[in-house]
Every structure is written in C-alpha cells, then in structure tokens.
Amino acid sequence: MSDCPDIAAPEPVFAEPWHAQVFALTVHLNEAGRFTWAEWVDRFSATLKRHGLSRDLDGGEDYFNAWLETLEALLGEVGEAAPEERAEMRAAWELAYLTTPHGQPVRLAE
C-alpha cells in the first residue's frame, strides 16, 4: 500500500511541535478542572480580537502565540503560575533556544 503513487503522507496537524504541546496542555488543564472550556473560549477570543486576529486563522505562529499568551494569563489569574515563575521559565527557554545548535531539539538545562 505504501508503494502506491496516489497516496500521499498526511499533512501535519500542527506546524510546530510546541503548537501541539501548548494545545495538549490546555486541553489537559481543562480536563483537570483548572478552568472551563467556556472560560477558555471567552479569553482566547478576547486575545485574538485584541491582536486584530479576527480573520480565519490556519493555526500558524500568530494563532499559537495568542494561544500561549491566553494560557499564561489564565494560569496567572487562577494562581497556577505567578508572573515571576512565568518570566523565569520564559528566560530559561530563551537561553536554551539560543544555545542549542541548529537542527537539535531544544531542552531546558537540568
């Protein structure tokens, strides 16, 4: 079956691994009762509107940056992630990204 020329590999659902990860984390936190999906939709819609992203989005970088911004703000509001913790984690990821050789997976220092 894989030798058939008419069958193409499926397109990835997410453009970047971190898109899938932040999506999965949001779903997990919702299922764990940290917030309702209605709360999520209201806040995410407000973030998209604030950024002027009212057009149809294809799940690209601007969409997932807005998704991450919304998740960080929501977790901060419910006391799950203090601003200092978010800033420290963001700085750690930035350092890891900037010091990782091209093509290698980015990992936080242990």
Side-chain angles (χ1 to χ4, degrees):
M1 188 87 164
S2 63
D3 295 331
C4 294
D6 295 341
I7 299 176
E11 292 291 320
V13 176
F14 297 96
E16 300 290 337
W18 77 268
H19 297 171
Q21 292 165 345
V22 75
F23 178 85
L25 178 60
T26 304
V27 171
H28 172 75
L29 291 169
N30 164 254
E31 290 174 349
R34 298 291 198 253
F35 50 82
T36 68
W37 201 251
E39 289 174 304
W40 171 257
V41 169
D42 286 344
R43 291 173 190 264
F44 185 50
S45 297
T47 302
L48 292 174
K49 184 176 180 181
R50 187 172 62 255
H51 286 284
L53 302 176
S54 59
R55 68 193 189 298
D56 288 339
L57 298 170
D58 63 1
E61 201 73 10
D62 55 353
Y63 181 85
F64 281 100
N65 281 324
W67 188 288
L68 179 59
E69 178 184 324
T70 304
L71 183 59
E72 287 177 340
L74 183 56
L75 291 176
E77 290 173 22
V78 299
E80 295 287 337
E84 307 81 37
E85 292 173 315
R86 293 193 320 260
E88 287 175 16
M89 186 60 64
R90 187 176 293 266
W93 274 110
E94 183 176 2
L95 178 63
Y97 171 77
L98 292 174
T99 58
T100 299
H102 179 72
Q104 297 297 312
V106 178
R107 291 188 168 68
L108 288 176
E110 303 242 348

